[in-house]
Amino acid sequence: MWKDSETELDLLDFDYLIEITKDIILNKNLSPCSIGIYGNWGSGKSSLMEMIQKDLNEEGNVLCLKFNGWLFEGYEDARTSLMIAIVKSISENRTIKGKAKTILTNLYNNIDFFKLTSKSIKYGADFMLTGGIGVAADLMLPKLITKAKEKGKEIEEGEIEGALKSISCSIEIRENVSNFQSDFEELLELTEIENLVVFIDELDRCNPSTILDTLEVMRLFLFAEGTSFVIGADERQIMYAIKQKFPDSPGNNIDIGKEYLEK
């Protein structure tokens, strides 16, 4: 009997899957990319990722890191914990000097900003029933109250004021996201990282909100050439989490879980 833990020994004839995954990651024409390794619990997903990572570590100018969102759940925000893990891995595995030091500081400052504002932005997003950021920002407080009541929502004035503050904050967040992305791309160049590979394991053990937060924060990085995410999970659990937030629309022949996951 084998113990239920990952291994770097290929006991399941995964060699062809290892080579296919490596080829996708190292192919500049397919970069950036995200790769899903799906299977039931105990099917060998973690072991496959260990073997892929072992082979990639032998390549030049490749930096691999493993992220387990389940370990952080309940202690840290899923979005910022992944961002910190990626930036920290670069700083620990590469020589940071000159301009790269300044960029690294900027990235950490942006992450701190995202951490502080994440709750208020969620609150503001819930308030978008009034018509979206553009509409809400242009309306005076009395008009917002009227508009909310027209939609049958009993909202106190203090709640609306809080939402307005988060809306103005969201504009700053968009700017910070843009700055974060440009800084991150430059940091990869300055540290001579041709391929950054993030292995995300145990995602299917997380609650639905953590799963979605992790998938969504990946978008911050999936613009930089050479960046790859490899996700090991039970596909059914991921699709279930997606459907909790985006239920299928009646009458539409769309599997929202599958469509979202493929996208």
Side-chain angles (χ1 to χ4, degrees), residues 95-194:
T95 301
I96 306 297
K97 57 184 179 180
K99 189 177 181 181
K101 284 186 176 181
T102 302
I103 291 175
L104 192 66
T105 300
N106 291 341
L107 288 171
Y108 275 121
N109 287 340
N110 265 326
I111 292 173
D112 286 341
F113 175 82
F114 295 142
K115 187 184 296 187
L116 289 170
T117 57
S118 60
K119 289 185 179 180
S120 64
I121 289 304
K122 283 183 179 179
Y123 179 78
D126 291 339
F127 187 71
M128 289 306 105
L129 60 94
T130 54
I133 290 175
V135 174
D138 292 336
L139 292 174
M140 299 298 289
L141 186 59
K143 292 184 179 180
L144 278 172
I145 296 173
T146 301
K147 193 170 182 66
K149 288 181 177 179
E150 286 174 357
K151 292 181 176 289
K153 302 290 183 179
E154 292 299 325
I155 300 178
E156 298 295 329
E157 184 173 322
E159 292 179 306
I160 295 179
E161 288 177 329
L164 282 175
K165 289 178 182 178
S166 67
I167 290 166
S168 63
C169 184
S170 70
I171 297 171
E172 187 176 353
I173 278 190
R174 287 201 295 272
E175 295 175 354
N176 281 34
V177 166
S178 178
N179 292 336
F180 182 92
Q181 289 179 328
S182 59
D183 283 340
F184 180 75
E185 195 166 25
E186 189 170 3
L187 183 64
L188 292 182
E189 182 179 347
L190 290 172
T191 53
E192 299 181 348
I193 297 174
E194 292 184 6

Side-chain angles (χ1 to χ4, degrees), residues 47-87:
S47 294
L48 176 55
M49 288 196 288
E50 286 286 337
M51 289 182 274
I52 295 168
Q53 183 172 346
K54 180 182 177 182
D55 276 20
L56 285 172
N57 284 335
E58 298 174 0
E59 301 285 340
N61 297 327
V62 176
L63 176 61
C64 298
L65 70 130
K66 188 174 181 180
F67 178 79
N68 188 329
W70 189 43
L71 297 179
F72 292 93
E73 191 169 53
Y75 298 97
E76 294 183 27
D77 175 73
R79 294 185 179 94
T80 54
S81 59
L82 177 56
M83 295 167 71
I84 290 171
I86 292 173
V87 175

